[in-house]
Amino acid sequence: MKLNFRLVIFAFLIAFGLFFSAPSLLQLESGKKVTLGLDLQGGLHMLLGVKTDEAIKARIKSIAASVKNFSEKKDIIIDSFSFSEDSVSITFLDKDEVKNVKNFISEIKGSVVAVDGAKISISLTKEEILRSQEQAISQAIETIRNRLDQFGLAEPVVARQGENQILVELAGIKTADEEQRARELISRAAKLELMAVDEDRAARVNSMSESDASSYGDVILEDANNPKIKHLVREIPILDGSMLTDAHVGFDQNNRPLISFTLNAEGAGIFGDFTGRSVGKRLAVVLDGKVYSAPVINERIGGGSGQISGHYTVVEAKDLAIALRSGSLLVPIYVMEKRSVGPSLGADSIRASLLALVSGFALVIVFMMFYYGLAGVIANVAVVVNLFIILGVISLLGATLTLPGMAGIVLHIGLAVDANIIINERIREGLRAGIPTSRAISEGYKKAMRAILDSNITQILACTILYVYGTGAIKGFAVTLSLGILASILTAIVSTYGIYQFFMSRIEKDKNYTLWFGMSKRKGA
Amino acid sequence: MELFKEDKVYNFLGKGKIFFIASFVLFFISIGLIAIKGFSFGIDFTGGTVVQVKYTGDAPIDKIRESLKKSELFEHASVSEFGSSQEVVIKTPSSTVGLSHDIGDTTKEILKGTGDFEIRRVDMVGPKVGDELRVKGLSAFLLTLLAIMATVTFRYEWRFALAAIIAIVHDIVITFGFVSYFGVDFNIESVAALLMILGYSIHDTIIVYDRVREHIEESKEADFVHIINEAVSRTQSRTTLTSLTVFFVVLTLFLFGGDIMLGFSFPMLVGVVIGTYSSIFVAAQLVVWTGFSVAAYRQKMADKVKIQAEKERMRSQFESGVM
C-alpha cells in the first residue's frame, strides 16, 4: 500500500489535539490549560482611564522644585511662584540673576523658558508633553502590576488598551470585600511627601483661604486622623516617594501597626540636610495629600528612615506598605468600565454552555450517522478531532475562552459539519451519476473543495477584521471561530479523504452504498 | 437516508414574485419596527450599570424598588426578574468612576435589610466606553461587508457580490426586526451574533453561487433562470441539512444558555432561519435582477483561458529558446 500522507496528517492532528487538550480536559497538573475568561470563572474586569493631564502638572511641579533647589544653593531669592494648568511662572527678587536661572533651566530636557524682566515662565515642549503622558501610563501599568503581584492573586492581567486605558483583570476574586480591597489597592496613589510646616504662618491656618496660602507658596492640608485639623505646609515638598527604597509594617510601643520606610542615599542626604537646618521646626509626613503626622525635628536625622503612623488595621497597613513599595501612582486613575462576575454565576454559565455544547453536539452526531451511514461516522470523527484541535490550540496560544468564545465553538460545530455534508452530497451525486466509486470520491472532494474554500476564506477574512476592529467579546468570538474554520479545512478536506482512501478497496468491493453513504438502494455503477 | 429527489429541478424562480413580496414586506416592517420601537440597548452601548442579585428564597422586588428609591444613583433604575424568581437584575443609566467605592458597593449597602442575598454580577460601563463600542461595532460591521464584497467580486463577479450583500442586509435587518419586536436586549454579544449571521449568510450564499458558477462553466445551458433553479435544487439537500444542524446547536444554546445568553442566542436563532430562507429564495434570484448575462460571463471566462493559454505558449517558446 502506498504511504497515505493524508492519514499521516490526520494521525498527527489527532495526536496534536489530544496532547494539547488533555491538560484542560482532564485537569492535569502539568501542561498548558485553557484559560477561562472572567465571565466563566468569576472575577473582576476593569477598564481604567488615566488622567494624563495630571502628569503634565506633576512634571511642571518637579521642574519648579529643581529650580527652587538650584536657587537656594546659589542664594538666589525667589519672590513668588504661580502655577497654571501647564506652566509655572517664577518671579525673582533680583532681575540680574534671571540669566543664571535661565541657563540652568534650559539644561532641563523638554522645558521651554520665556523671560519677562524678573519673571520667568516655564512650560513644556510638545514632545515632552507626549512623553510625560506616555510615561504616566506605562508607570501606572507598572505600578498596578507590582501591587497586584504582591496581593497574592494568580496571574493578574494588567495591560494597556487603546491610547490611555489600562485593562485590569483579576481572576479568583471571591467576595465583594476582597474585590473592594483589590480596587483600593489599585487606586491608592500612595504618594508620600515630606513637607516643611510653614512655621511663620501656621498659627493663622484656620483663617486662611486656599488662594491666600498659595500666594505664600503654601498649601493647606487636612489631618488624616481628624479632618478638622488643618496644616499649613510649603507647597514644594522636601522629598517625595520616588526616593523610597522600602516600606514595611512595624509596630509602635502600644503595639499599633505603623509603616516604616527607608530612603535611598540621595533622599537620605536631602533629608539629613533639611533636618539639620530645621531643628525646632515641624516636618509633615504627607500621604496622598493628608498629613499623617507632623513631629517637631529635634536633631539632624541621618540614615534616611522614617515612619508613618495612623489609625489603621494590620491589613490596611500591609496594603499601604505594598502600595508604597510598588511606587506611587503619579496620575489619578478612574473606572471607565467594570464587570465583576461572582464565581457561582461563572459556574452557572459554564454549566449552561457546556450543556448546550454537549446536547447540540450529540444531536448533530446522531443525525449525521443516521443520514449518511458510515460516511456520517467518518464526518463525526473529523468533527470531534476538530474540537480537540481547537481546545489544544487555544491552550497552546494561551488565549482566553470566554462566553462568546464558547458560543463560537458551539456554532463552529454546525459549520464544520457543513464541510462534511457538502463533500458527502457531492460523492452521492457522483455515485448516482454512475461514476466508479473511487472517482466519485475524488471528484466529490475536488468539487466540494472550491465551495468550501471560497466560503471559509471569506469567513476568515471577516473574522480577521472582527479581531482587529472588535472589542473583547467579539475578539474572543473571532479567535475561536477562525481557529475552528482552519481546523475544519484540515480535517474535512485532508483527513477524511485519507480515511476514504484507506477503505477504498473495501468500498469498491462491497458497493454497499446504503452502509457507506446512507443512500437508498439503487443500481450502482 | 435522503430527503430530496436529487434529479428533480425545482422551479424556485417561478415563484420568485411571491418570495420577493414576502421579503419586501418583512424587510420594511422590520425597518419600521426598528425605527419606531427601536432596540432596548444594553449598557454596553448606553453606559450605565447592571447589578444581578440572587436571593435565598424569592426576591422581594417591591422592597428592592423601595430601597433603591433612596439613592440618587438608582433614580431611573429598573428592577426585573432574571431567569428565576430568586434572581433580579437592577439596571440604571448611572455609572461611577471612583475605584475605592463604586456603584456595586453602594448597591450592597442599599439592599441591606431586603433579605439574604448575594451580588453575582456588577457590570458598569462609562458613557465614553459605550460610545467607543458603538463606533467600533459599526465600523467592524461595515468593514466586514466591504471585505466580503471584495472577495466575492474577486472570486465571482461584482453582480454576485452585490446580490450577496443585499441578501446579507436583508437577513440582518429582518433578524433585528424580530429582536426589536420582542424587546430582546441588544448588547455586545448581539453584535457578535449579528456578525455571525453575516458569516452564516455569506457562507450559505457562496455555496449556492459556487454551484451556479459550476453550471455556467460546465453546461451548455443558456437560460440563466434554469441554471439557477438547477443550482439551488442541487444544493437543496445540503442547505437544509446544514441549516438543521446549525439550528439544533443554536436552539440548544437558546434553550439552555439561560437569560444571560439571550442577547446572543435569540438573534442567532432567527438569523439561521432567515439566512436559510434567503440563500434558497433570495440570494440567487437577486443575481438575475442585476442583469447578469451568462453569455457575457462565458465570453469573459473564455477570454481568460485564451490569455492564459497565450501566456503559457509564450513562456514555453521562451523557455525552449524559440522567439
Side-chain angles (χ1 to χ4, degrees):
Chain A
M1 201 182 112
K2 267 195 310 181
L3 179 70
N4 188 335
F5 82 95
R6 291 189 173 88
L7 271 188
V8 175
I9 292 178
F10 192 41
F12 171 76
L13 287 176
I14 294 176
F16 173 89
L18 286 179
F19 183 77
F20 287 106
S21 63
S24 316
L25 288 175
L26 305 172
Q27 290 301 311
L28 297 183
E29 290 283 314
S30 61
K32 280 189 166 179
K33 287 194 205 75
V34 173
T35 330
L36 292 180
L38 293 179
D39 48 357
L40 292 178
Q41 62 167 321
L44 176 65
H45 160 112
M46 283 193 294
L47 193 60
L48 304 173
V50 182
K51 288 192 177 135
T52 45
D53 301 353
E54 299 285 331
I56 316 295
K57 260 191 227 165
R59 179 85 183 97
I60 289 280
K61 268 201 177 161
S62 96
I63 293 180
S66 38
V67 172
K68 193 181 171 228
N69 267 340
F70 172 81
S71 310
E72 265 166 15
K73 247 185 230 161
K74 301 265 161 169
D75 285 324
I76 303 168
I77 300 166
I78 291 173
D79 187 37
S80 71
F81 282 95
S82 72
F83 288 96
S84 76
E85 276 294 300
D86 52 3
S87 69
V88 56
S89 303
I90 308 171
T91 314
F92 297 90
L93 263 189
D94 188 349
K95 202 171 134 186
D96 299 337
E97 302 279 13
V98 169
K99 214 177 154 200
N100 250 336
V101 181
K102 192 189 169 208
N103 286 339
F104 168 73
I105 299 169
S106 45
E107 274 169 35
I108 301 177
K109 236 182 91 197
S111 60
V112 181
V113 201
V115 181
D116 174 21
K119 186 175 144 192
I120 60 167
S121 307
I122 312 169
S123 53
L124 299 175
T125 59
K126 246 187 196 148
E127 294 78 43
E128 182 65 12
I129 290 176
L130 276 178
R131 202 191 61 83
S132 302
Q133 288 174 334
E134 207 48 37
Q135 199 196 357
I137 295 164
S138 49
Q139 192 265 354
I141 292 176
E142 188 62 25
T143 306
I144 294 174
R145 190 176 291 145
N146 282 339
R147 289 180 186 179
L148 290 173
D149 279 344
Q150 298 182 46
F151 188 66
L153 283 169
E155 295 179 34
V157 174
V158 183
R160 182 171 184 166
Q161 201 162 63
E163 227 162 81
N164 52 1
Q165 291 160 12
I166 303 172
L167 174 76
V168 176
E169 295 205 314
L170 301 176
I173 293 250
K174 294 272 186 296
T175 62
D177 292 335
E178 218 174 46
E179 186 203 306
Q180 193 173 359
R181 212 184 123 201
R183 277 189 273 119
E184 258 162 28
L185 184 63
I186 293 172
S187 62
R188 189 107 223 195
K191 193 171 168 206
L192 179 71
E193 286 164 308
L194 299 178
M195 299 170 115
V197 175
D198 186 350
E199 299 288 359
D200 301 337
R201 303 181 185 86
R204 290 194 280 139
V205 63
N206 287 322
S207 59
M208 234 189 250
S209 71
E210 299 269 344
S211 55
D212 289 342
S214 162
S215 68
Y216 298 119
D218 292 339
V219 279
I220 302 172
L221 296 179
E222 231 172 53
D223 193 274
N225 301 317
N226 184 352
K228 280 183 195 138
I229 302 177
K230 307 271 186 242
H231 299 265
L232 188 68
V233 298
R234 305 298 300 178
E235 183 169 16
I236 295 177
I238 303 150
L239 276 180
D240 62 36
S242 61
M243 292 175 186
L244 194 110
T245 55
D246 189 25
H248 57 266
V249 181
F251 294 91
D252 64 6
Q253 54 271 46
N254 299 322
N255 215 19
R256 277 190 312 227
L258 53 76
I259 292 146
S260 319
F261 60 83
T262 319
L263 298 168
N264 65 11
E266 192 193 350
I270 298 174
F271 194 48
D273 284 352
F274 173 80
T275 47
R277 262 187 286 137
S278 316
V279 171
K281 293 177 178 170
R282 280 175 296 164
L283 173 75
V285 179
V286 181
L287 185 65
D288 294 343
K290 284 186 177 161
V291 178
Y292 274 69
S293 59
V296 176
I297 302 165
N298 293 319
E299 56 185 343
R300 182 181 188 278
I301 308 170
S305 60
Q307 291 171 339
I308 313 168
S309 47
H311 298 286
Y312 20 70
T313 65
V314 179
V315 173
E316 280 165 5
K318 229 171 97 187
D319 286 352
L320 188 55
I322 291 178
L324 280 171
R325 268 205 303 274
S326 333
S328 61
L329 275 182
L330 297 179
V331 287
I333 49 179
Y334 60 98
V335 183
M336 300 179 79
E337 185 188 348
K338 184 195 118 175
R339 292 165 196 271
S340 61
V341 178
S344 64
L345 182 66
D348 281 1
S349 303
I350 293 189
R351 208 175 308 127
S353 35
L354 268 184
L355 187 66
L357 185 75
V358 170
S359 54
F361 199 45
L363 268 170
V364 170
I365 281 187
V366 171
F367 178 76
M368 287 295 282
M369 280 193 326
F370 180 66
Y371 198 85
Y372 286 116
L374 284 179
V377 176
I378 293 175
N380 285 336
V381 171
V383 177
V384 172
V385 171
N386 229 314
L387 208 60
F388 283 129
I389 297 174
I390 298 180
L391 276 180
V393 175
I394 291 179
S395 27
L396 201 61
L397 289 179
T400 311
L401 185 61
T402 58
L403 211 57
M406 216 141 161
I409 294 181
V410 171
L411 209 66
H412 154 74
I413 293 171
L415 293 179
V417 172
D418 183 55
N420 288 291
I421 290 179
I422 296 176
I423 292 167
N424 286 344
E425 286 294 317
R426 285 293 191 157
I427 294 177
R428 277 185 176 184
E429 260 176 59
L431 292 175
R432 274 185 211 120
I435 298 173
T437 316
S438 67
R439 237 187 77 205
I441 293 177
S442 71
E443 281 201 352
Y445 270 91
K446 214 174 106 199
K447 285 181 170 165
M449 177 102 91
R450 197 164 72 159
I452 295 171
L453 283 183
D454 264 359
S455 139
N456 285 347
I457 288 170
T458 312
Q459 294 219 47
I460 286 184
L461 276 173
C463 279
T464 312
I465 286 174
L466 290 192
Y467 186 78
V468 175
Y469 285 90
T471 47
I474 296 182
K475 268 195 165 74
F477 190 78
V479 169
T480 47
L481 193 67
S482 1
L483 281 179
I485 288 173
L486 288 176
S488 81
I489 290 180
L490 272 176
T491 52
I493 295 180
V494 181
S495 312
T496 54
Y497 195 15
I499 299 180
Y500 284 118
Q501 283 180 324
F502 183 74
F503 287 115
M504 193 68 85
S505 52
R506 278 190 62 189
I507 305 176
E508 277 182 324
K509 217 171 81 190
D510 61 34
K511 287 206 163 118
N512 186 345
Y513 296 147
T514 314
L515 174 71
W516 282 98
F517 298 103
M519 289 167 72
S520 24
K521 285 243 185 318
R522 70 184 60 227
K523 265 195 264 162
Chain B
M1 195 181 114
E2 281 145 293
L3 277 179
F4 296 91
K5 281 227 168 63
E6 71 292 332
D7 30 24
K8 193 166 172 204
V9 174
Y10 298 89
N11 186 9
F12 289 102
L13 288 194
K15 306 237 161 38
K17 274 206 181 97
I18 302 172
F19 296 116
F20 177 74
I21 291 169
S23 281
F24 194 82
V25 168
L26 264 179
F27 185 80
F28 283 98
I29 288 181
S30 297
I31 287 187
L33 265 173
I34 295 170
I36 296 163
K37 192 159 182 264
F39 296 114
S40 85
F41 279 110
I43 56 157
D44 292 331
F45 297 104
T46 57
T49 308
V50 170
V51 187
Q52 191 178 336
V53 191
K54 188 178 186 179
Y55 282 81
T56 39
D58 284 356
I61 292 193
D62 291 333
K63 242 170 148 181
I64 297 171
R65 287 203 179 108
E66 202 56 42
S67 310
L68 288 177
K69 267 187 200 149
K70 288 171 204 150
S71 168
E72 239 176 69
L73 280 170
F74 292 99
E75 223 174 348
H76 303 286
S78 73
V79 184
S80 53
E81 210 172 81
F82 193 76
S84 75
S85 64
Q86 298 185 345
E87 222 161 330
V88 289
V89 157
I90 303 166
K91 278 187 207 166
T92 169
S94 315
S95 57
T96 49
V97 296
L99 261 168
S100 56
H101 193 87
D102 74 1
I103 201 162
D105 302 332
T106 314
T107 320
K108 212 172 104 188
E109 279 155 34
I110 292 174
L111 292 184
K112 244 175 215 160
T114 55
D116 197 13
F117 65 85
E118 171 204 2
I119 292 194
R120 301 184 93 195
R121 177 166 66 112
V122 178
D123 284 359
M124 194 213 81
V125 179
K128 216 178 134 196
V129 180
D131 277 354
E132 218 178 284
L133 285 179
R134 229 183 354 235
V135 171
K136 272 196 161 175
L138 196 68
S139 53
F141 171 67
L142 291 177
L143 279 166
T144 311
L145 276 188
L146 270 179
I148 289 174
M149 184 94 192
T151 28
V152 178
T153 304
F154 177 69
R155 293 290 297 160
Y156 298 84
E157 231 220 350
W158 67 266
R159 288 185 182 87
F160 282 79
L162 182 67
I165 297 286
I166 295 175
I168 290 172
V169 172
H170 162 272
D171 294 353
I172 287 173
V173 166
I174 293 179
T175 304
F176 282 87
F178 275 88
V179 170
S180 167
Y181 180 75
F182 286 101
V184 175
D185 261 8
F186 194 113
N187 49 32
I188 196 77
E189 279 85 13
S190 312
V191 176
L194 185 151
L195 295 160
M196 194 50 235
I197 295 166
L198 191 146
Y200 180 77
S201 174
I202 188 67
H203 176 83
D204 253 14
T205 306
I206 284 185
I207 303 294
V208 177
Y209 283 180
D210 180 68
R211 270 304 172 112
V212 173
R213 182 175 57 185
E214 192 180 309
H215 286 299
I216 293 175
E217 284 167 12
E218 288 176 2
S219 74
K220 291 262 182 294
E221 179 66 59
D223 180 11
F224 190 46
V225 170
H226 187 260
I227 288 175
I228 284 181
N229 274 332
E230 200 175 347
V232 176
S233 304
R234 288 275 171 277
T235 48
Q236 196 48 228
S237 168
R238 173 260 145 208
T239 304
T240 316
L241 289 183
T242 299
S243 298
L244 274 177
T245 57
V246 175
F247 186 77
F248 284 158
V249 180
V250 177
L251 185 70
T252 48
L253 200 66
F254 175 73
L255 292 178
F256 303 120
D259 280 7
I260 199 162
M261 290 281 231
L262 205 62
F264 179 81
S265 56
F266 180 79
M268 267 313 305
L269 196 67
V270 181
V272 168
V273 177
I274 303 290
T276 306
Y277 157 78
S278 85
S279 71
I280 298 174
F281 299 108
V282 181
Q285 180 141 305
L286 279 171
V287 186
V288 181
W289 290 329
T290 57
F292 180 80
S293 149
V294 178
Y297 185 80
R298 285 204 179 116
Q299 187 57 48
K300 214 169 91 187
M301 295 303 291
D303 288 350
K304 237 188 205 168
V305 173
K306 228 195 228 160
I307 292 168
Q308 194 62 34
E310 183 68 11
K311 260 189 195 159
E312 248 150 55
R313 197 177 56 87
M314 299 268 279
R315 174 170 297 158
S316 69
Q317 277 185 346
F318 182 73
E319 273 166 1
S320 58
V322 188
M323 278 305 281

